[in-house]
Amino acid sequence: MTDKPSDELDLDLPDAAPEPPAVKHHEISDAFNYDVAFKMGFVGIGQDGGRIAETFYNLGYRRVAAINSAYEDLKDISDDIAKLDMKTGGAGQDMDRGREFLEKNEDGVWDLLVRAAGDDPDYLLVCVSLGGGTGSGGAAKLVEICRKYMAHNDRENRVGVVVSLPNSYEGQRTCANSVKAFEQLYNLQPSPMIIIDNKRIEKLYRRGATDFFPTCNQQVAKLFHLFNRLATERSKLVTFDRADYAVLLDSGIVVFGASPITKYEDKADIRECIRTQLEQTVLAEVDMKKGRAAGCIFLGNEEIMGQVPMDFFGAGFDQMNQLMSDGSVVYRGVYVGKSNDLRCYSMLSGLPAPIERLRELKRKSGIQQPPSTTMDHLEI
């Protein structure tokens, strides 16, 4: 006898699961009406780090965020920028507390990156002014979190920093924190490691106190952006391209310089301008003779470019090569623009740490011994 299924065994089954929705990518668009070479994200930590990041936002970058341990230090940042208030009331220039705050808020930092950077940044740059507690203490940890975030989104491990070095008159604790924080970041080998040297910029640009820090930040941000923009534009003369820019960004410590060329009657004028520019306008005190790569871009209007022979620019490129280490490479660009003068923009990378500035800060800090063997390696 064959058993027949009973109607009583009719089970109340759930409806078939619907097709899963397509994954939505969190895309963010910069506010440019032109192309740039790379999608850049900027995460500021600490009061001045947030201001550095905001400077890039004001240029049109939209993958921007700010982190601090006190609301008071965030409220002056534009409300259009994603923020994370760790609600600790500040770190009081204590770097250990700054790192501890980041470690306790790692999930919050991750969520901030999701909102602010999206899932397709080409680079993430941590912006920090060295010397305080929250920024100096948390910057290295923030670099580590950003690297995890890039890996999670299947992006290349392109995490850099924009670091501001204080002037030596800003106090012993500030100087001590800046040396220690620089060491921690240097150990991580972020790239690019863009240096803003407040002492250097103070010499180059005489500004009132209220304009000084905005001037520092704007000079670096504008030069960084100029290279990011021109790397997408074809020149009818000599093109500086995206691959060139990537090499410079991926080569470690970076500094920028810029100057007008007021005299261009012969090759020697261009060569002299290059030497003067690198000696007097580069925005940090570094040993340029040890640089491994550089970008050099000449920009002038149609009239000027119709007057200057091509081999004059070649002489300028050769001069830059001669001022750097043996085997160095100069990525070149000559562009027709709208400026009423001839200008030269430089980006040097693959540089050694700014040892003399760090030694000066160390002396002012009262540090008797370097905090680790790494500092011995740097010979600070």
Side-chain angles (χ1 to χ4, degrees):
M1 179 177 172
T2 302
D3 292 333
K4 294 182 179 180
S6 168
D7 289 341
E8 295 177 0
L9 295 179
D10 187 18
L11 301 178
D12 185 13
L13 299 176
D15 295 335
E19 289 293 323
V23 175
K24 293 183 178 180
H25 295 285
H26 182 32
E27 296 181 354
I28 298 173
S29 298
D30 293 322
F32 310 128
N33 58 2
Y34 46 80
D35 292 333
V36 290
F38 295 104
K39 301 171 185 176
M40 300 289 185
F42 303 91
V43 187
I45 182 168
Q47 182 178 23
D48 291 333
R51 291 172 179 168
I52 294 171
E54 185 178 36
T55 303
F56 288 95
Y57 183 89
N58 292 338
L59 288 177
Y61 291 95
R62 289 297 177 261
R63 296 171 180 83
V64 179
I67 301 171
N68 215 312
S69 54
Y71 172 74
E72 289 298 312
D73 292 334
L74 282 173
K75 68 180 184 180
D76 291 334
I77 302 295
S78 170
D79 289 336
D80 294 326
I81 294 174
K83 305 176 189 179
L84 173 63
D85 176 10
M86 295 185 290
K87 300 179 180 179
T88 63
Q93 285 198 308
D94 186 329
M95 287 182 59
D96 291 336
R97 293 182 68 193
R99 182 175 180 88
E100 179 184 344
F101 296 160
L102 257 290
E103 290 172 343
K104 289 183 177 179
N105 284 274
E106 185 165 350
D107 289 341
V109 173
W110 191 276
D111 292 341
L112 181 74
L113 292 174
V114 171
R115 293 194 299 272
D119 50 21
D120 65 345
D122 295 315
Y123 287 85
L124 286 179
L125 276 73
V126 172
C127 304
V128 57
S129 179
L130 302 184
T134 302
S136 295
K141 178 62 179 179
L142 183 54
V143 167
E144 295 170 0
I145 296 172
C146 287
R147 284 177 170 171
K148 293 178 183 177
Y149 184 82
M150 294 292 274
H152 177 79
N153 286 289
D154 296 322
R155 309 300 289 172
E156 291 189 55
N157 182 20
R158 285 174 157 171
V159 176
V161 294
V162 183
V163 298
S164 174
L165 294 176
N167 215 314
S168 55
Y169 56 65
E170 295 183 39
Q172 284 191 328
R173 174 64 71 86
T174 296
C175 292
N177 283 352
S178 65
V179 173
K180 184 176 180 181
F182 188 95
E183 176 201 12
Q184 292 176 352
L185 291 169
Y186 185 86
N187 286 346
L188 293 174
Q189 296 296 290
S191 192
M193 188 173 191
I194 299 170
I195 299 176
I196 304 173
D197 187 342
N198 288 353
K199 177 184 176 181
R200 178 75 167 166
I201 293 179
E202 190 174 273
K203 290 180 179 179
L204 297 175
Y205 303 97
R206 304 302 296 174
R207 294 288 188 277
T210 56
D211 291 334
F212 177 69
F213 290 109
T215 297
C216 295
N217 299 340
Q218 289 169 13
Q219 286 301 115
V220 171
K222 287 179 179 179
L223 287 169
F224 179 93
H225 179 58
L226 179 139
F227 278 86
N228 197 28
R229 178 178 180 180
L230 290 183
T232 65
E233 295 190 11
R234 299 293 301 173
S235 171
K236 60 184 179 182
L237 299 172
V238 180
T239 297
F240 173 86
D241 64 26
R242 189 176 187 272
D244 299 338
Y245 192 38
V247 171
L248 298 176
L249 291 172
D250 296 341
S251 296
I253 292 179
V254 170
V255 296
F256 293 94
S259 69
I261 301 175
T262 57
K263 183 181 178 183
Y264 38 87
E265 295 176 1
D266 56 36
K267 295 179 184 179
D269 291 335
I270 304 294
R271 290 175 58 86
E272 182 179 4
C273 177
I274 293 291
R275 290 195 302 274
T276 301
Q277 183 205 58
L278 294 181
E279 292 169 0
Q280 299 181 6
T281 72
V282 170
L283 303 181
E285 295 182 7
V286 292
D287 188 351
M288 294 174 292
K289 293 181 180 178
K290 295 182 180 179
R292 301 192 307 272
C296 182
I297 294 177
F298 291 99
L299 184 66
N301 61 26
E302 287 277 4
E303 181 180 356
I304 291 173
M305 289 306 182
Q307 297 174 4
V308 182
M310 198 66 207
D311 62 345
F312 281 28
F313 298 121
F317 296 138
D318 288 344
Q319 175 68 93
M320 179 168 281
N321 241 141
Q322 293 167 16
L323 291 172
M324 298 191 301
S325 64
D326 291 342
S328 62
V329 59
V330 175
Y331 296 100
R332 310 171 179 200
V334 182
Y335 285 83
V336 177
K338 297 180 181 179
S339 61
N340 292 324
D341 54 5
L342 180 62
R343 302 178 183 183
C344 181
Y345 300 99
S346 61
M347 178 179 177
L348 280 69
S349 67
L351 294 161
I355 298 298
E356 291 304 319
R357 279 289 285 123
L358 293 171
R359 284 176 178 165
E360 178 186 350
L361 291 168
K362 180 190 167 197
R363 287 194 300 270
K364 295 292 184 178
S365 74
I367 296 174
Q368 298 301 315
Q369 296 294 330
S372 79
T373 57
T374 303
M375 299 301 273
D376 286 324
H377 173 68
L378 290 176
E379 298 181 353
I380 295 176

